[in-house]
Amino acid sequence: MTPRARITGTGSYVPEKILTNAELATRIDTSDEWIFTRTGIRQRHIAAEGEHTSDLALKASRKALESAGLDARDLDMVIVATATPDNTFPATATRVQAMLGMEKGAAFDLQAVCSGFIYGLSLADNFIRAGQAGNVLLVGAETFSRILDWEDRSTCVLFGDGAGAVILSATAAGENPDGGAGVLSTHLHSDGSLTDLLYVDGGPSSTGTVGHLRMLGKEVFRHAVVRLAEVAEEALEANGLNCGDIDWLVPHQANKRIIDSTARKLGMPSDRIVLTVDHHANTSAASIPLALDEAVRDGRIKPGNLILMEAMGGGLTWGSSLVRW
Ligand code: ACO
């Protein structure tokens, strides 16, 4: 029987430094009221000088391994979803592999910006289903504070730094994957003709600089509310489920208005949505695993629960996943 990937552990880490809306308002022409009513964000965490994406990823990974009851030597693969790697190369994942003391397997980065965690879930699930990996560490880790234009009030208020990690393990031989826990489906999309809506204006082969994030916020918003509802419906339909079957919606945390609009379209009540955007802001690929870990650790997500995840990001890329916990 084809093995299925189960999420057997979660972990997360956010840098110590908190930057509140009120502090931002002392540096740029903005206000807590403007940011909160437009986005639902109150604060974000900012990596310290010398604290890299790999450092955040490592801390989240150690917690995920501990919660799965595994040692790094049990891992076959490390995938780090990030748009803010430590260096152009090598992959941040190989640094994490070395820092964990993992002795075998493969490590690589995945770049799908805010959809990176959903893309990574799909990859890990497929490696496990194909029998090519037994235990995969999937991390979403970002230091977006390093690519923000801190003079541009329309973007710099929206993002934060952090990392979330999950361990995906193959279901044991003989376990019934249809009735049990595991990744039920993943659906991925992209439309490269929409690159100009959200991008970084630098890179190794274009400008030779790191660059800054640029965004047409209203346009991104418009695409997000349509595509996210669509891809969530696609996941439900593919599994013969409806919104009433979902215990928790764990969306990418970009903007509370996008999340509310998607939930309204799906008919999902607000008390079944895991929301962290108020205290994390948009942490790109890290936002879903950060939210997952929070809801697992505080007891909201319980074994047997059906979890719907969705995300959209630069590219544009978007996707969804249904997971039985
Ligand atoms: N503080 C105060 N005023 C501001 C700020 C700020 N931080 N930023 C912009 N403004 C001003 C603008 O200059 C504009 O002023 P003007 O009317 O005098 O020109 C006014 O506020 C309205 O600006 P809009 O851009 O029209 O504001 P809008 O209501 O569209 O909200 C926002 C902007 C929050 C960026 C919204 O478009 C949005 O959330 N878009 C989605 C973008 C997103 O979440 N991207 C994340 C990555 S993709 C993803 O993860 C889905």
Side-chain angles (χ1 to χ4, degrees):
M1 196 182 291
T2 308
R4 173 187 284 174
R6 279 187 59 192
I7 296 181
T8 51
T10 65
S12 63
Y13 175 77
V14 284
E16 263 173 48
K17 183 177 168 38
I18 291 173
L19 177 61
T20 62
N21 292 348
E23 278 174 86
L24 267 174
T26 65
R27 300 183 196 173
I28 51 168
D29 182 15
T30 190
S31 64
D32 176 50
E33 199 265 335
W34 192 97
I35 300 170
F36 187 70
T37 53
R38 293 291 207 296
T39 69
I41 297 167
R42 287 280 190 208
Q43 62 168 53
R44 70 285 297 140
H45 291 255
I46 303 290
E49 210 181 317
E51 191 175 33
H52 302 143
T53 295
S54 60
D55 298 316
L56 312 188
L58 177 68
K59 287 181 173 149
S61 300
R62 286 200 168 125
K63 289 184 190 160
L65 279 166
E66 192 187 332
S67 82
L70 290 182
D71 186 270
R73 281 168 296 197
D74 301 321
L75 294 173
D76 303 304
M77 186 172 285
V78 179
I79 304 173
V80 175
T82 187
T84 46
D86 291 12
N87 296 87
T88 302
F89 80 83
T92 299
T94 57
R95 288 195 197 281
V96 173
Q97 179 189 31
M99 291 192 283
L100 283 173
M102 184 181 153
E103 290 173 344
K104 60 179 168 70
F108 59 94
D109 287 358
L110 186 161
Q111 160 54 299
V113 206
C114 300
S115 312
F117 183 76
I118 301 287
Y119 270 63
L121 212 53
S122 187
L123 258 186
D125 183 39
N126 279 297
F127 273 116
I128 286 171
R129 282 178 191 265
Q132 214 175 333
N135 291 308
V136 179
L137 166 63
L138 169 63
V139 194
E142 303 277 17
T143 48
F144 260 51
S145 62
R146 306 264 155 79
I147 57 164
L148 295 175
D149 175 352
W150 288 98
E151 312 266 290
D152 176 8
R153 67 178 183 170
S154 70
T155 54
C156 76
V157 302
L158 303 175
F159 297 90
D161 300 336
V166 298
I167 306 292
L168 291 125
S169 303
T171 47
E175 241 178 279
N176 173 11
D178 292 328
V183 178
L184 306 187
S185 67
T186 56
H187 289 88
L188 307 181
H189 299 276
S190 64
D191 182 349
S193 72
L194 300 171
T195 301
D196 291 348
L197 302 189
L198 177 55
Y199 64 101
V200 168
D201 62 5
S205 97
S206 54
T207 58
T209 60
V210 172
H212 291 120
L213 182 147
R214 305 294 174 204
M215 179 173 70
L216 298 176
K218 265 196 199 318
E219 285 297 299
V220 173
F221 194 101
R222 203 168 58 79
H223 284 280
V225 294
V226 175
R227 296 301 188 197
L228 289 172
E230 262 177 24
V231 79
E233 294 281 8
E234 190 179 10
L236 291 170
E237 262 177 53
N239 290 279
L241 296 166
N242 60 56
C243 185
D245 298 313
I246 304 301
D247 294 293
W248 291 104
L249 174 66
V250 186
H252 167 50
Q253 312 278 325
N255 180 316
K256 185 167 183 299
R257 288 191 298 144
I258 295 177
I259 294 171
D260 288 346
S261 161
T262 308
R264 247 192 328 270
K265 283 190 179 171
L266 292 172
M268 174 76 69
S270 57
D271 61 359
R272 285 196 274 135
I273 304 172
V274 178
L275 261 190
T276 55
V277 70
D278 57 331
H279 51 286
H280 291 156
N282 183 347
T283 56
S284 182
S287 90
I288 291 178
L290 270 166
L292 266 183
D293 187 49
E294 196 171 294
V296 169
R297 283 175 197 265
D298 68 19
R300 274 178 289 173
I301 294 180
K302 296 181 181 64
N305 279 177
L306 194 58
I307 314 296
L308 174 61
M309 298 173 245
E310 38 84 343
M312 178 181 234
L316 294 179
T317 55
W318 64 99
S320 63
S321 179
L322 262 174
V323 172
R324 175 75 66 189
W325 209 257

